Amino acid sequence: MDDYAAYLLPMLVAELDAYEDDEHPDIAVSHESGWTLSAYPSGLLIGLTRT
């Protein structure tokens, strides 16, 4: 829910290993142009675009 600079993405991804939350198991980044990437601890990466 925070704004991140690109250089902070490795720290965001590291949260997948450090924190377990059954209700919110992923991290996600979004861009104002409408795309979103969600990453899960399993390695699954989902990309969505808004049309």
PDB file of all heavy atoms in Angstrom, residues 10-31:
ATOM      1  N   PRO A  10      13.950  -5.091  -4.386  1.00  0.00           N
ATOM      2  CA  PRO A  10      14.509  -6.292  -3.732  1.00  0.00           C
ATOM      3  C   PRO A  10      14.070  -6.416  -2.271  1.00  0.00           C
ATOM      4  O   PRO A  10      13.818  -7.522  -1.791  1.00  0.00           O
ATOM      5  CB  PRO A  10      16.022  -6.097  -3.850  1.00  0.00           C
ATOM      6  CG  PRO A  10      16.182  -5.243  -5.065  1.00  0.00           C
ATOM      7  CD  PRO A  10      15.001  -4.298  -5.041  1.00  0.00           C
ATOM      8  N   MET A  11      13.959  -5.317  -1.569  1.00  0.00           N
ATOM      9  CA  MET A  11      13.509  -5.348  -0.184  1.00  0.00           C
ATOM     10  C   MET A  11      12.044  -5.783  -0.114  1.00  0.00           C
ATOM     11  O   MET A  11      11.653  -6.559   0.758  1.00  0.00           O
ATOM     12  CB  MET A  11      13.675  -3.967   0.454  1.00  0.00           C
ATOM     13  CG  MET A  11      13.351  -3.947   1.929  1.00  0.00           C
ATOM     14  SD  MET A  11      13.751  -2.385   2.747  1.00  0.00           S
ATOM     15  CE  MET A  11      12.760  -1.225   1.826  1.00  0.00           C
ATOM     16  N   LEU A  12      11.240  -5.330  -1.050  1.00  0.00           N
ATOM     17  CA  LEU A  12       9.834  -5.725  -1.101  1.00  0.00           C
ATOM     18  C   LEU A  12       9.714  -7.221  -1.364  1.00  0.00           C
ATOM     19  O   LEU A  12       8.963  -7.924  -0.690  1.00  0.00           O
ATOM     20  CB  LEU A  12       9.095  -4.926  -2.171  1.00  0.00           C
ATOM     21  CG  LEU A  12       7.621  -5.220  -2.355  1.00  0.00           C
ATOM     22  CD1 LEU A  12       6.836  -4.856  -1.104  1.00  0.00           C
ATOM     23  CD2 LEU A  12       7.084  -4.454  -3.547  1.00  0.00           C
ATOM     24  N   VAL A  13      10.477  -7.739  -2.315  1.00  0.00           N
ATOM     25  CA  VAL A  13      10.447  -9.165  -2.639  1.00  0.00           C
ATOM     26  C   VAL A  13      10.929  -9.999  -1.450  1.00  0.00           C
ATOM     27  O   VAL A  13      10.402 -11.088  -1.194  1.00  0.00           O
ATOM     28  CB  VAL A  13      11.280  -9.453  -3.906  1.00  0.00           C
ATOM     29  CG1 VAL A  13      11.422 -10.937  -4.150  1.00  0.00           C
ATOM     30  CG2 VAL A  13      10.630  -8.780  -5.120  1.00  0.00           C
ATOM     31  N   ALA A  14      11.887  -9.487  -0.699  1.00  0.00           N
ATOM     32  CA  ALA A  14      12.391 -10.211   0.475  1.00  0.00           C
ATOM     33  C   ALA A  14      11.288 -10.435   1.507  1.00  0.00           C
ATOM     34  O   ALA A  14      11.368 -11.370   2.307  1.00  0.00           O
ATOM     35  CB  ALA A  14      13.557  -9.457   1.102  1.00  0.00           C
ATOM     36  N   GLU A  15      10.245  -9.614   1.487  1.00  0.00           N
ATOM     37  CA  GLU A  15       9.125  -9.799   2.404  1.00  0.00           C
ATOM     38  C   GLU A  15       8.423 -11.137   2.176  1.00  0.00           C
ATOM     39  O   GLU A  15       7.790 -11.671   3.082  1.00  0.00           O
ATOM     40  CB  GLU A  15       8.121  -8.659   2.272  1.00  0.00           C
ATOM     41  CG  GLU A  15       8.630  -7.344   2.806  1.00  0.00           C
ATOM     42  CD  GLU A  15       7.576  -6.259   2.750  1.00  0.00           C
ATOM     43  OE1 GLU A  15       6.368  -6.583   2.690  1.00  0.00           O
ATOM     44  OE2 GLU A  15       7.956  -5.083   2.776  1.00  0.00           O
ATOM     45  N   LEU A  16       8.530 -11.701   0.978  1.00  0.00           N
ATOM     46  CA  LEU A  16       7.913 -12.996   0.698  1.00  0.00           C
ATOM     47  C   LEU A  16       8.527 -14.095   1.555  1.00  0.00           C
ATOM     48  O   LEU A  16       7.849 -15.037   1.945  1.00  0.00           O
ATOM     49  CB  LEU A  16       8.059 -13.358  -0.776  1.00  0.00           C
ATOM     50  CG  LEU A  16       7.213 -12.542  -1.744  1.00  0.00           C
ATOM     51  CD1 LEU A  16       7.599 -12.887  -3.172  1.00  0.00           C
ATOM     52  CD2 LEU A  16       5.732 -12.775  -1.515  1.00  0.00           C
ATOM     53  N   ASP A  17       9.822 -13.989   1.837  1.00  0.00           N
ATOM     54  CA  ASP A  17      10.506 -14.995   2.655  1.00  0.00           C
ATOM     55  C   ASP A  17      10.356 -14.723   4.145  1.00  0.00           C
ATOM     56  O   ASP A  17      10.413 -15.646   4.951  1.00  0.00           O
ATOM     57  CB  ASP A  17      12.000 -15.032   2.317  1.00  0.00           C
ATOM     58  CG  ASP A  17      12.248 -15.575   0.928  1.00  0.00           C
ATOM     59  OD1 ASP A  17      11.449 -16.408   0.463  1.00  0.00           O
ATOM     60  OD2 ASP A  17      13.240 -15.152   0.310  1.00  0.00           O
ATOM     61  N   ALA A  18      10.188 -13.477   4.511  1.00  0.00           N
ATOM     62  CA  ALA A  18      10.252 -13.098   5.918  1.00  0.00           C
ATOM     63  C   ALA A  18       8.902 -13.082   6.629  1.00  0.00           C
ATOM     64  O   ALA A  18       8.854 -13.099   7.841  1.00  0.00           O
ATOM     65  CB  ALA A  18      10.895 -11.719   6.041  1.00  0.00           C
ATOM     66  N   TYR A  19       7.809 -13.078   5.903  1.00  0.00           N
ATOM     67  CA  TYR A  19       6.519 -12.865   6.538  1.00  0.00           C
ATOM     68  C   TYR A  19       5.489 -13.817   5.964  1.00  0.00           C
ATOM     69  O   TYR A  19       5.381 -13.939   4.750  1.00  0.00           O
ATOM     70  CB  TYR A  19       6.074 -11.419   6.308  1.00  0.00           C
ATOM     71  CG  TYR A  19       4.808 -11.043   7.019  1.00  0.00           C
ATOM     72  CD1 TYR A  19       4.792 -10.867   8.391  1.00  0.00           C
ATOM     73  CD2 TYR A  19       3.631 -10.868   6.319  1.00  0.00           C
ATOM     74  CE1 TYR A  19       3.631 -10.514   9.049  1.00  0.00           C
ATOM     75  CE2 TYR A  19       2.459 -10.513   6.971  1.00  0.00           C
ATOM     76  CZ  TYR A  19       2.468 -10.334   8.332  1.00  0.00           C
ATOM     77  OH  TYR A  19       1.317  -9.989   8.976  1.00  0.00           O
ATOM     78  N   GLU A  20       4.766 -14.478   6.831  1.00  0.00           N
ATOM     79  CA  GLU A  20       3.700 -15.369   6.378  1.00  0.00           C
ATOM     80  C   GLU A  20       2.366 -14.816   6.836  1.00  0.00           C
ATOM     81  O   GLU A  20       2.154 -14.578   8.020  1.00  0.00           O
ATOM     82  CB  GLU A  20       3.899 -16.769   6.932  1.00  0.00           C
ATOM     83  CG  GLU A  20       5.052 -17.489   6.284  1.00  0.00           C
ATOM     84  CD  GLU A  20       5.079 -18.954   6.652  1.00  0.00           C
ATOM     85  OE1 GLU A  20       4.005 -19.540   6.863  1.00  0.00           O
ATOM     86  OE2 GLU A  20       6.181 -19.490   6.729  1.00  0.00           O
ATOM     87  N   ASP A  21       1.489 -14.607   5.877  1.00  0.00           N
ATOM     88  CA  ASP A  21       0.162 -14.071   6.152  1.00  0.00           C
ATOM     89  C   ASP A  21      -0.809 -14.870   5.298  1.00  0.00           C
ATOM     90  O   ASP A  21      -0.839 -14.725   4.087  1.00  0.00           O
ATOM     91  CB  ASP A  21       0.115 -12.595   5.799  1.00  0.00           C
ATOM     92  CG  ASP A  21      -1.220 -11.933   6.091  1.00  0.00           C
ATOM     93  OD1 ASP A  21      -2.205 -12.653   6.355  1.00  0.00           O
ATOM     94  OD2 ASP A  21      -1.289 -10.698   6.055  1.00  0.00           O
ATOM     95  N   ASP A  22      -1.576 -15.752   5.929  1.00  0.00           N
ATOM     96  CA  ASP A  22      -2.484 -16.621   5.182  1.00  0.00           C
ATOM     97  C   ASP A  22      -3.545 -15.844   4.407  1.00  0.00           C
ATOM     98  O   ASP A  22      -4.013 -16.298   3.375  1.00  0.00           O
ATOM     99  CB  ASP A  22      -3.168 -17.611   6.124  1.00  0.00           C
ATOM    100  CG  ASP A  22      -2.190 -18.627   6.692  1.00  0.00           C
ATOM    101  OD1 ASP A  22      -1.159 -18.871   6.047  1.00  0.00           O
ATOM    102  OD2 ASP A  22      -2.458 -19.152   7.787  1.00  0.00           O
ATOM    103  N   GLU A  23      -3.924 -14.694   4.904  1.00  0.00           N
ATOM    104  CA  GLU A  23      -4.963 -13.910   4.243  1.00  0.00           C
ATOM    105  C   GLU A  23      -4.416 -13.095   3.066  1.00  0.00           C
ATOM    106  O   GLU A  23      -5.111 -12.879   2.077  1.00  0.00           O
ATOM    107  CB  GLU A  23      -5.628 -12.963   5.243  1.00  0.00           C
ATOM    108  CG  GLU A  23      -6.874 -12.293   4.691  1.00  0.00           C
ATOM    109  CD  GLU A  23      -7.617 -11.495   5.737  1.00  0.00           C
ATOM    110  OE1 GLU A  23      -7.484 -11.788   6.940  1.00  0.00           O
ATOM    111  OE2 GLU A  23      -8.336 -10.572   5.343  1.00  0.00           O
ATOM    112  N   HIS A  24      -3.170 -12.655   3.166  1.00  0.00           N
ATOM    113  CA  HIS A  24      -2.534 -11.850   2.113  1.00  0.00           C
ATOM    114  C   HIS A  24      -1.142 -12.409   1.837  1.00  0.00           C
ATOM    115  O   HIS A  24      -0.142 -11.838   2.274  1.00  0.00           O
ATOM    116  CB  HIS A  24      -2.440 -10.388   2.546  1.00  0.00           C
ATOM    117  CG  HIS A  24      -3.742  -9.788   2.918  1.00  0.00           C
ATOM    118  ND1 HIS A  24      -4.146  -9.655   4.226  1.00  0.00           N
ATOM    119  CD2 HIS A  24      -4.761  -9.324   2.150  1.00  0.00           C
ATOM    120  CE1 HIS A  24      -5.341  -9.105   4.249  1.00  0.00           C
ATOM    121  NE2 HIS A  24      -5.749  -8.896   3.005  1.00  0.00           N
ATOM    122  N   PRO A  25      -1.052 -13.520   1.084  1.00  0.00           N
ATOM    123  CA  PRO A  25       0.238 -14.198   0.928  1.00  0.00           C
ATOM    124  C   PRO A  25       1.149 -13.598  -0.143  1.00  0.00           C
ATOM    125  O   PRO A  25       2.248 -14.073  -0.335  1.00  0.00           O
ATOM    126  CB  PRO A  25      -0.180 -15.608   0.519  1.00  0.00           C
ATOM    127  CG  PRO A  25      -1.442 -15.389  -0.254  1.00  0.00           C
ATOM    128  CD  PRO A  25      -2.141 -14.263   0.485  1.00  0.00           C
ATOM    129  N   ASP A  26       0.704 -12.555  -0.845  1.00  0.00           N
ATOM    130  CA  ASP A  26       1.475 -12.028  -1.957  1.00  0.00           C
ATOM    131  C   ASP A  26       1.957 -10.607  -1.695  1.00  0.00           C
ATOM    132  O   ASP A  26       1.552  -9.958  -0.751  1.00  0.00           O
ATOM    133  CB  ASP A  26       0.637 -12.045  -3.229  1.00  0.00           C
ATOM    134  CG  ASP A  26      -0.553 -11.095  -3.157  1.00  0.00           C
ATOM    135  OD1 ASP A  26      -1.185 -11.009  -2.081  1.00  0.00           O
ATOM    136  OD2 ASP A  26      -0.854 -10.436  -4.158  1.00  0.00           O
ATOM    137  N   ILE A  27       2.867 -10.184  -2.575  1.00  0.00           N
ATOM    138  CA  ILE A  27       3.224  -8.778  -2.664  1.00  0.00           C
ATOM    139  C   ILE A  27       2.826  -8.341  -4.067  1.00  0.00           C
ATOM    140  O   ILE A  27       2.760  -9.162  -4.990  1.00  0.00           O
ATOM    141  CB  ILE A  27       4.725  -8.525  -2.424  1.00  0.00           C
ATOM    142  CG1 ILE A  27       5.576  -9.294  -3.430  1.00  0.00           C
ATOM    143  CG2 ILE A  27       5.115  -8.871  -0.997  1.00  0.00           C
ATOM    144  CD1 ILE A  27       6.982  -8.783  -3.538  1.00  0.00           C
ATOM    145  N   ALA A  28       2.550  -7.090  -4.244  1.00  0.00           N
ATOM    146  CA  ALA A  28       2.126  -6.607  -5.559  1.00  0.00           C
ATOM    147  C   ALA A  28       2.687  -5.221  -5.803  1.00  0.00           C
ATOM    148  O   ALA A  28       2.854  -4.432  -4.872  1.00  0.00           O
ATOM    149  CB  ALA A  28       0.610  -6.583  -5.663  1.00  0.00           C
ATOM    150  N   VAL A  29       2.993  -4.966  -7.052  1.00  0.00           N
ATOM    151  CA  VAL A  29       3.377  -3.625  -7.483  1.00  0.00           C
ATOM    152  C   VAL A  29       2.453  -3.237  -8.621  1.00  0.00           C
ATOM    153  O   VAL A  29       2.069  -4.071  -9.445  1.00  0.00           O
ATOM    154  CB  VAL A  29       4.861  -3.540  -7.905  1.00  0.00           C
ATOM    155  CG1 VAL A  29       5.777  -3.702  -6.720  1.00  0.00           C
ATOM    156  CG2 VAL A  29       5.196  -4.537  -8.975  1.00  0.00           C
ATOM    157  N   SER A  30       2.095  -1.978  -8.624  1.00  0.00           N
ATOM    158  CA  SER A  30       1.190  -1.453  -9.657  1.00  0.00           C
ATOM    159  C   SER A  30       1.782  -0.176 -10.240  1.00  0.00           C
ATOM    160  O   SER A  30       2.568   0.510  -9.586  1.00  0.00           O
ATOM    161  CB  SER A  30      -0.181  -1.125  -9.053  1.00  0.00           C
ATOM    162  OG  SER A  30      -0.780  -2.263  -8.520  1.00  0.00           O
ATOM    163  N   HIS A  31       1.353   0.126 -11.444  1.00  0.00           N
ATOM    164  CA  HIS A  31       1.780   1.350 -12.111  1.00  0.00           C
ATOM    165  C   HIS A  31       0.544   2.147 -12.473  1.00  0.00           C
ATOM    166  O   HIS A  31      -0.517   1.578 -12.736  1.00  0.00           O
ATOM    167  CB  HIS A  31       2.589   1.006 -13.376  1.00  0.00           C
ATOM    168  CG  HIS A  31       3.220   2.190 -14.000  1.00  0.00           C
ATOM    169  ND1 HIS A  31       2.622   2.881 -15.012  1.00  0.00           N
ATOM    170  CD2 HIS A  31       4.391   2.819 -13.733  1.00  0.00           C
ATOM    171  CE1 HIS A  31       3.406   3.888 -15.370  1.00  0.00           C
ATOM    172  NE2 HIS A  31       4.488   3.875 -14.604  1.00  0.00           N
TER     173      HIS A  31
END
